[in-house]
Amino acid sequence: MSSTYGEWIREQRVAAGLTQQDLADAAIMTRSHISHIEAGRRVPSQDDARRLDKALNTGNVLSRFRPQDDVAVADYFEAGRQLEQQATTIREFALSYVPGILQTEAYAQAVLRIAYPPRGTEERDRLVVSRIERARILDDPLTPVVSVLLDEAVLRRPIGGSTVMADQITSMIHLVERERVRIHVLPFGLGGHPLLLGMMTLMWFEDQPPAVYSEGAFMGTVHDSPGLVQRIQGTYDLALGDALPLKESVAFMRTIAKEYGHHD
């Protein structure tokens, strides 16, 4: 996400002699939200942009030239990564791969080995370390609250081979047993479900509007339009209602891990 828009807001705020808190109070927003907008990590909603225009006396510049709500980022996961680290609640849906914050080192290595163009060992190691760093948000026993929906395909595709998959699934089971995450499985027997179009991460924050990060081939998109976020959340809830309950999901995952030849 370009920071040019946010930088311009900061310049106008400073020129007006306002602190971030002053602007937040005038625009009926939080200081943290103002900070993220100025840093280019968030795009204000249309209503927020109008209130910022009024508070900064900038006519309709901010609302008229507001970046699109759905912005494909250059380093396409960077915007999603930053939001992930700030979130108090995360709800993941995975269609093809285990979500990054749940991946074991061996699974992450296997995923990166099949990327195109091929990556060298040094670059893969650097990316794996980055992925492990992301997973440290789970070191806190309470925050963020994490729920995950997995399509059965995530469990059935043997990324890295049987041993890697068995260990990966067992690692996720342990996270559930520790009550650190909740995982529900959407089994093949369900047939179609409303999330088949791709993976997504829904995120809520202490003092910012919610956002969704979705990902496709070679691109990632942050959505923070309130109407679209609400629609995606409703779609997620609909799919969750069709998923296996928590205990049944864990039993299902345990069975698949054993099919890969793993025994506790």
Side-chain angles (χ1 to χ4, degrees):
M1 183 183 301
S2 172
S3 61
T4 303
Y5 183 86
E7 289 170 353
W8 194 82
I9 291 177
R10 182 170 59 249
E11 289 171 1
Q12 300 308 304
R13 173 180 62 77
V14 172
L18 300 175
T19 66
Q20 287 185 340
Q21 189 60 61
D22 291 335
L23 180 56
D25 292 341
I28 317 175
M29 299 166 67
T30 66
R31 189 208 60 77
S32 177
H33 196 191
I34 295 293
S35 176
H36 289 308
I37 291 171
E38 290 187 351
R41 293 189 293 267
R42 301 297 300 270
V43 173
S45 68
Q46 190 66 42
D47 287 341
D48 285 345
R50 291 192 187 100
R51 291 196 298 273
L52 287 168
D53 270 328
K54 184 176 180 180
L56 292 169
N57 195 29
T58 50
N60 66 350
V61 173
L62 295 173
S63 54
R64 182 178 180 183
F65 295 102
R66 186 176 65 92
Q68 294 297 310
D69 292 310
D70 300 338
V71 181
V73 297
D75 288 324
Y76 63 87
F77 181 61
E78 180 57 23
R81 185 194 65 80
Q82 291 182 11
L83 293 175
E84 180 183 76
Q85 299 300 306
Q86 302 162 21
T88 56
T89 299
I90 296 174
R91 302 177 80 186
E92 295 260 15
F93 168 68
L95 182 63
S96 303
Y97 296 107
V98 171
I101 60 173
L102 303 184
Q103 290 181 8
T104 64
E105 182 176 346
Y107 184 93
Q109 283 278 9
V111 170
L112 292 168
R113 274 198 298 271
I114 59 179
Y116 181 84
R119 296 184 172 100
T121 301
E122 184 176 340
E123 183 182 4
R124 285 204 311 269
D125 289 344
R126 179 177 57 81
L127 292 170
V128 168
V129 168
S130 176
R131 200 155 297 186
I132 292 172
E133 288 291 325
R134 285 175 52 205
R136 288 186 176 174
I137 62 174
L138 299 178
D139 289 347
D140 186 304
L142 298 176
T143 305
V145 177
V146 178
S147 300
V148 180
L149 262 178
L150 295 179
D151 190 279
E152 184 178 343
V154 175
L155 305 173
R156 294 292 185 186
R157 189 178 300 279
I159 304 293
S162 296
T163 299
V164 169
M165 284 303 301
D167 290 343
Q168 174 64 71
I169 295 171
T170 300
S171 174
M172 292 190 291
I173 291 171
H174 289 164
L175 285 170
V176 175
E177 291 175 337
R178 284 170 40 205
E179 299 183 351
R180 186 57 190 87
V181 304
R182 296 179 64 89
I183 298 178
H184 296 268
V185 178
L186 289 159
F188 288 149
L190 177 65
H193 61 75
L195 293 178
L196 281 173
L197 291 177
M199 68 77 66
M200 64 183 63
T201 304
L202 295 86
M203 293 167 283
W204 287 260
F205 309 90
E206 184 175 352
D207 56 3
Q208 306 173 54
V212 176
Y213 172 78
S214 64
E215 191 169 293
F218 308 110
M219 65 180 65
T221 307
V222 171
H223 313 267
D224 55 9
S225 166
L228 182 55
V229 170
Q230 184 176 16
R231 179 180 176 185
I232 293 172
Q233 180 181 346
T235 304
Y236 187 101
D237 290 342
L238 187 64
L240 179 61
D242 290 333
L244 296 177
L246 183 66
K247 289 184 178 180
E248 291 182 27
S249 293
V250 170
F252 190 75
M253 288 191 293
R254 199 182 302 278
T255 296
I256 295 177
K258 289 180 178 179
E259 291 175 2
Y260 281 120
H262 181 88
H263 297 275
D264 291 337

